[in-house]
Amino acid sequence: MSFPEGFLWGGATAANQCEGAYNEGGRGLANVDITPHGKNRFKVMLGLDNTLDFHEGEYYPAKVGIDMYHHFKEDIALFGEMGFKVYRMSIAWSRIFPNGDEETPNEEGLKFYEDLFKECHKYGIEPLVTITHFDCPIHLIKKYGGWKNRKLVGFYENLCRVLFTRYKGLVKYWLTFNEINMILHAPFMGAGLLIENKETEMKDKYQAIHHELVASALATKIAHEIDPNNMVGCMLAAGNTYPYTCKPEDVWKAMEKDREGYFFIDVQARGQYPNYALKKMKREDTMPAMEEGDLELLKNNTVDFVSFSYYSSKVASTEEMAPTTEGNVFASVKNPYLSASEWGWQIDPLGLRITLNSIYDRYQKPLFIVENGLGAKDVIEEDGAINDDYRIEYIREHIKAMHDAIEIDGVELLGYTTWGCIDLVSASTGEMSKRYGFIYVDRDDEGNGTLERRKKKSFDWYKEVISSNGESLE
């Protein structure tokens, strides 16, 4: 049961969840920095807190993260020991342009990532870089209102030109926006949007969506012009939606829920707005303003591959009383046939194969799974061991599912990066106790701990998976 030659095995993180050093190296303040741990986290993520600063008495986990800013050589050495072929990470926009709208970038920030990329290559690891993983400089939110303002397309273009030029030869794989469909669910995180007027909320969201889609196409165009070897992908928070019953209304509801996410990738991968989306926006009066040349830009600059995160499938029902669960920030009807994690995320390995087939059938472009993993509470035994067999089992079953998608179904899959290959701050809850990594980091939900790194049982298991190219899974 081996995988294709050259398959890219690795792991994934995001700057705002692991990097820390929020006020070092000339970095500016970003939306992700002021998202607290605790009961107010979702209020901020949803754009319902317009303070745009730190609150007294709140704990902000992104300020330190796991301090990868000062530990990246140690961390990448551990990734190299596991045999990573690829490491998915992200750029903190405000580390390159502290306010976001400067003409000249911050050299100290550029040098940090240059050193990090060179460290990856030292171990034969290809960086897969997300240009924007929920990061938006606070200045761009205060002055321009976030991505609903067209000016952000130009500021993002400036960021991309700097990155593609500076890191030519160091970075080949790029993603434009992380989980771009998150705008609909957590607009402050997804697009720096504050919900100040409920009547215009959806129109503002779709305007921001259009600007990000245009920016993504522009980034793809520039990347190919600067270096024809660049491969640019889009990124979707995925997971097929099942109908709760075979009642046609439930089937239709499930299709509608899937279209909410596919809409974004339809534009990025096919190059045009799908008719169902155009009809919906016209019907609901959410059609965004477009500039001359936007549609041509989208048409001529589609992505090279489609990447996505997969944690669970979802279920849709027309019955209001259907039991619900939470998965990421996406609410879903509970699937009675699936078990769940400690945080209620339902576990569905076959759903990954279903999702892979759905996306590949739809776009016929190479795919890349850039997030998949299990958040769990890990225990350090008396002898210092961390026996995370539950994580091994979860990843093993998902690897088997993606192997079947490749070998039996013919899906073209470039690689697989597990989420949180090293423990980091949870995006949805701000917790450290919700651990995903093969590497344990000594830090708790209140910010206490030594930040010491420690290998879990899954570390050596995944090392063997990679060295055998997926043949050894036991």
Side-chain angles (χ1 to χ4, degrees):
M1 185 180 143
S2 63
F3 279 72
E5 186 178 349
F7 190 80
L8 295 169
W9 297 96
T13 64
N16 69 84
Q17 292 168 257
C18 67
E19 204 171 276
Y22 81 103
N23 59 355
E24 295 185 48
R27 185 182 181 280
L29 198 64
N31 58 337
V32 289
D33 301 320
I34 63 166
T35 307
H37 168 262
K39 58 183 175 58
N40 291 323
R41 187 172 182 84
F42 277 97
K43 181 180 178 182
V44 174
M45 290 170 67
L46 295 174
L48 301 176
D49 184 341
N50 62 5
T51 308
L52 297 179
D53 208 342
F54 300 115
H55 288 276
E56 186 89 26
E58 294 270 23
Y59 170 55
Y60 295 89
K63 283 185 173 183
V64 175
I66 60 168
D67 196 27
M68 188 179 274
Y69 185 80
H70 296 108
H71 290 259
F72 74 87
K73 290 187 177 182
E74 174 188 356
D75 295 338
I76 292 171
L78 288 166
F79 301 160
E81 185 181 340
M82 268 190 284
F84 278 18
K85 310 300 182 187
V86 63
Y87 169 43
R88 184 202 169 202
M89 50 158 290
S90 72
I91 297 283
W93 187 345
S94 60
R95 198 173 289 289
I96 308 300
F97 290 97
N99 288 325
D101 60 357
E102 298 94 339
E103 292 185 10
T104 305
N106 170 35
E107 174 56 30
E108 198 169 349
L110 287 171
K111 183 65 165 57
F112 167 71
Y113 291 113
E114 181 179 330
D115 291 344
L116 194 156
F117 297 147
K118 287 180 177 177
E119 198 69 18
C120 286
H121 284 288
K122 178 177 160 184
Y123 296 94
I125 300 171
E126 284 282 355
L128 167 59
V129 179
T130 309
I131 298 167
T132 299
H133 194 124
F134 299 148
D135 293 77
C136 186
I138 284 291
H139 175 73
L140 297 185
I141 300 171
K142 287 183 175 179
K143 186 171 181 179
Y144 304 100
W147 274 97
K148 66 183 178 184
N149 192 313
R150 178 78 188 202
K151 286 184 179 294
L152 264 75
V153 176
F155 302 143
Y156 183 86
E157 177 185 358
N158 194 26
L159 172 67
C160 289
R161 287 190 184 278
V162 167
L163 297 180
F164 297 149
T165 302
R166 178 63 173 256
Y167 304 128
K168 182 178 180 179
L170 284 175
V171 180
K172 174 184 176 182
Y173 299 100
W174 300 89
L175 302 179
T176 53
F177 291 92
N178 178 69
E179 294 184 333
I180 191 168
N181 50 322
M182 195 62 72
I183 293 177
L184 294 173
H185 306 274
F188 184 70
M189 293 288 281
L193 295 184
L194 296 175
I195 307 304
E196 298 169 311
N197 185 340
K198 294 296 288 184
E199 291 184 7
T200 63
E201 176 183 351
M202 293 310 297
K203 194 168 185 65
D204 288 345
K205 284 181 179 179
Y206 279 97
Q207 189 64 64
I209 288 165
H210 178 69
H211 290 156
E212 287 198 359
L213 291 171
V214 168
S216 178
L218 196 54
T220 306
K221 178 176 185 290
I222 297 166
H224 292 154
E225 288 172 350
I226 290 177
D227 186 352
N229 293 316
N230 278 332
M231 291 187 67
V232 183
C234 54
M235 202 286 204
L236 168 74
N240 262 53
T241 306
Y242 307 147
Y244 191 55
T245 71
C246 56
K247 185 169 68 174
E249 288 80 2
D250 281 359
V251 176
W252 180 256
K253 181 86 175 274
M255 188 178 80
E256 284 189 311
K257 295 301 290 184
D258 280 340
R259 276 178 166 178
E260 286 182 7
Y262 284 142
F263 149 62
F264 296 82
I265 313 305
D266 284 350
V267 179
Q268 292 173 293
R270 290 173 166 171
Q272 61 186 34
Y273 279 91
N275 285 339
Y276 67 82
L278 292 172
K279 290 285 189 181
K280 183 176 188 289
M281 291 187 294
K282 287 176 182 176
R283 186 169 63 250
E284 298 176 356
D285 192 26
T286 57
M287 182 67 70
M290 301 184 189
E291 291 191 1
E292 186 177 352
D294 282 359
L295 297 181
E296 185 178 1
L297 181 71
L298 295 172
K299 182 178 180 180
N300 294 332
N301 297 281
T302 57
V303 292
D304 302 306
F305 63 95
V306 175
S307 76
F308 63 94
S309 59
Y310 177 85
Y311 295 97
S312 182
S313 55
K314 297 180 282 289
V315 177
S317 173
T318 54
E319 299 293 330
E320 292 184 7
M321 297 304 291
T324 61
T325 185
E326 293 292 325
N328 208 326
V329 295
F330 298 95
S332 171
V333 173
K334 189 173 182 179
N335 190 326
Y337 300 100
L338 300 177
S339 61
S341 74
E342 294 171 85
W343 275 265
W345 296 26
Q346 295 203 276
I347 299 170
D348 184 10
L350 180 56
L352 175 57
R353 181 180 176 184
I354 294 167
T355 298
L356 280 163
N357 276 274
S358 295
I359 297 175
Y360 190 66
D361 286 352
R362 193 177 185 98
Y363 302 116
Q364 293 294 297
K365 284 181 179 278
L367 306 185
F368 206 134
I369 301 169
V370 294
E371 288 186 30
N372 173 243
L374 176 70
K377 292 182 179 179
D378 295 327
V379 176
I380 301 176
E381 306 291 350
E382 288 186 10
D383 63 357
I386 302 169
N387 297 311
D388 56 339
D389 296 275
Y390 39 85
R391 182 168 294 109
I392 292 171
E393 180 184 359
Y394 176 98
I395 297 174
R396 177 195 293 123
E397 294 308 308
H398 284 77
I399 289 175
K400 288 178 180 177
M402 69 187 191
H403 177 268
D404 288 346
I406 295 169
E407 286 299 316
I408 300 173
D409 309 326
V411 170
E412 185 180 357
L413 187 61
L414 297 174
Y416 173 71
T417 57
T418 65
W419 177 248
C421 48
I422 182 170
D423 289 348
L424 38 61
V425 175
S426 168
S428 57
T429 65
E431 296 169 292
M432 274 297 300
S433 57
K434 188 181 184 182
R435 298 178 181 275
Y436 286 86
F438 306 115
I439 303 161
Y440 185 94
V441 178
D442 182 26
R443 192 166 178 82
D444 66 18
D445 292 342
E446 284 72 46
N448 304 305
T450 65
L451 294 171
E452 176 195 4
R453 274 62 168 160
R454 183 193 297 253
K455 299 174 190 176
K456 305 177 188 178
K457 183 177 181 179
S458 57
F459 182 100
D460 289 321
W461 175 83
Y462 194 52
K463 179 180 179 179
E464 179 62 26
V465 170
I466 296 173
S467 67
S468 67
N469 197 25
E471 283 192 28
S472 178
L473 293 177
E474 297 309 317

